[in-house]
Amino acid sequence: MINFPTPLPDEVLYSVFARYHVNSGNESSRKTLRDLFSTSNDSAVTAYSGHLYALHTRIPGKAIPISYLLEHHTLIPYYRPFILENRYNRILQSLVHTNCQSIYMWMGLPASGVESPLFLRYCNQCVSIDRLKFGIAYWHRSHQLTGAFVCSEHQCYLLESPILYAQKGKKHEFIPLESILQDIVPLALQGSDKEITIAQKAVDLLKNNYGSLDMEATRKYYLYRLQYMGFLTAAGNIKFRDLVPQFNSFYSTTMLEDLGCKLNKGSQDTWLHKMLRKPRHSTHPLRHLLVQYFLNVDMKDLEGKNQYIKANAFGQGPWPCLNKAATHFRNKVITSVIVSRCSTTAKPVGTFQCSCGFIYSRRGPDQTETDMYRIGRIKQLGAEWMDKLNELSSNPALSLREKARRLGVDPGTVKKYSNCSELGQATSYPNTKHQCARRKPIRKRINRDDYKVPYKRVDWGKRDEQLLQAIERTVTLLKTTHTKRISRSEITRKLHCTTMIYTKRQKLPQSRAKLEQVVETTEQYHERMRIMREIK
């Protein structure tokens, strides 16, 4: 193989192969496949490419390392942070030594419910710039990312080409971008702020090649941010009834539906529930990016916080002692907090006890760093505070107000405890402004049945009859319009039932029998084509 083109910045490998096909002058795409991989049975995959070791050995001088091709010219770095390390290594082995057909299953893409783009996409402004800098337009890998509707650099909507993202009829062909560009260039429209931000986060994920994350630690950090935003109960449970409507409102249900990330308000088993519970399921990177943007989390935060983080309404300790009479006032000497639930507001209440005997509480969650220096209620003053009170009381030059200022309480409290003879006695000082009401309000009982999604059992007999009729209609249509042999896979693909017809074959006997009857043999196909030509 000679004249293998140098990959351009952010160029997907499919585009490099397409440029080689044009430069080589090969009349057949299969000849190009043999040049690249020494086999003509491979497919022209747009997002990924297998047999990279064979390609590496055939490039003159082995000038381009395999790792460089993977990290800079495939979409693999976009998925890597959210794939287990051992599974990621299996994916690399498949890309390097095989045709990579199984990596979609290993990455969990079919089960994620997030669909890849239907067509390859490009940006008009990138086309103009690429032609000026490199003399040719090419397919950018950042334009093919799932969930990225806009160009992150120029902030305009991407345009769809007629080239399918997953080639079906022309799966051996490499089609360069220059060959499909039209003379009339449509006006590029500006994307919305959220679409631009999601696209920028996706490109950051692609280009920075982050390592695999500890998914349990990542989930804990998400919970920590949810606690900060008030979406966790005092016991650490997620308030999904508040979170899901807020999440839908933040993005809009239309945008989430377009991204394949719709959240049903009444469901208790959405992708968001699965992600924030124990990580038993793989989650598409796009959904992680949506959650991170909502929680104001950056990938660099997660990469630096792979240690276990416990969600706490009052942050990570230690916490300061707020006893103004103590020598360690405002020093962070309290190492533990007891969290309870406010009976009025249902918000978490933290109780902090210092070794000096001073105990105080406040209602959370903390929103800023300065919140830890706020007192909601003093529960116990302690012996050290009482000693300081006696010391100040023996000085007749100090006024009542000055004593109160130095002790951090109001004058009435100083007056109340000035004559206390039992030093160190547990004394209580309520702050009525922040104290929770003693009587619990009457709350409306929630009927959990209103939130249950009714389970509907599938009537497979009825479905079999419906599918049988659909097959007959599809075959009739194909016989009059289709110019290729009518095969079983072509029929099921048209009906979008390929998976169902194979996985539920025992429940669809009529449909399976019908498929066997209508599949054309080679002789039948040639006869049908002869008749169609005579009619024309």
Side-chain angles (χ1 to χ4, degrees), residues 39-51:
T39 176
S40 61
N41 294 325
D42 212 349
S43 299
V45 184
T46 55
Y48 314 96
S49 179
H51 298 300

Side-chain angles (χ1 to χ4, degrees), residues 272-288:
L272 188 61
H273 288 75
K274 295 176 182 178
M275 176 191 286
L276 297 177
R277 291 168 179 162
K278 290 187 178 181
R280 299 187 181 95
H281 306 272
S282 60
T283 305
H284 196 281
L286 173 62
R287 291 175 172 174
H288 278 280

Side-chain angles (χ1 to χ4, degrees), residues 185-201:
V185 179
L187 180 65
L189 301 177
Q190 182 80 6
S192 67
D193 291 340
K194 287 186 173 62
E195 288 174 331
I196 293 170
T197 303
I198 292 300
Q200 289 172 342
K201 283 182 170 292

Side-chain angles (χ1 to χ4, degrees), residues 151-165:
C151 174
S152 61
E153 184 175 353
H154 300 110
Q155 301 182 0
C156 60
Y157 280 106
L158 297 172
L159 302 175
E160 288 187 341
S161 72
I163 310 303
L164 289 171
Y165 185 88

Side-chain angles (χ1 to χ4, degrees), residues 81-205:
F82 311 105
I83 301 175
L84 296 176
E85 190 70 33
N86 59 346
R87 181 173 293 186
Y88 178 74
N89 291 333
R90 290 182 64 187
I91 292 172
L92 291 186
Q93 290 296 316
S94 178
L95 288 168
V96 172
H97 297 291
T98 68
N99 59 7
C100 75
Q101 291 182 351
S102 58
I103 69 169
Y104 291 90
M105 298 297 294
W106 291 341
M107 290 193 294
L109 297 183
S112 68
V114 180
E115 295 183 357
S116 300
L118 291 177
F119 302 94
L120 291 183
R121 300 173 297 188
Y122 63 96
C123 167
N124 273 334
Q125 298 186 45
C126 287
V127 167
S128 301
I129 293 173
D130 291 342
R131 283 172 170 172
L132 288 174
K133 293 175 68 174
F134 308 108
I136 190 171
Y138 58 90
W139 299 109
H140 285 251
R141 59 175 186 155
S142 58
H143 296 163
Q144 320 310 326
L145 292 174
T146 303
F149 296 143
V150 300
C151 174
S152 61
E153 184 175 353
H154 300 110
Q155 301 182 0
C156 60
Y157 280 106
L158 297 172
L159 302 175
E160 288 187 341
S161 72
I163 310 303
L164 289 171
Y165 185 88
Q167 294 282 22
K168 290 182 172 60
K170 301 178 180 179
K171 63 181 180 179
H172 297 293
E173 293 188 9
F174 294 106
I175 305 173
L177 176 58
E178 285 285 2
S179 67
I180 58 96
L181 292 176
Q182 303 295 324
D183 295 333
I184 301 175
V185 179
L187 180 65
L189 301 177
Q190 182 80 6
S192 67
D193 291 340
K194 287 186 173 62
E195 288 174 331
I196 293 170
T197 303
I198 292 300
Q200 289 172 342
K201 283 182 170 292
V203 172
D204 172 76
L205 198 63

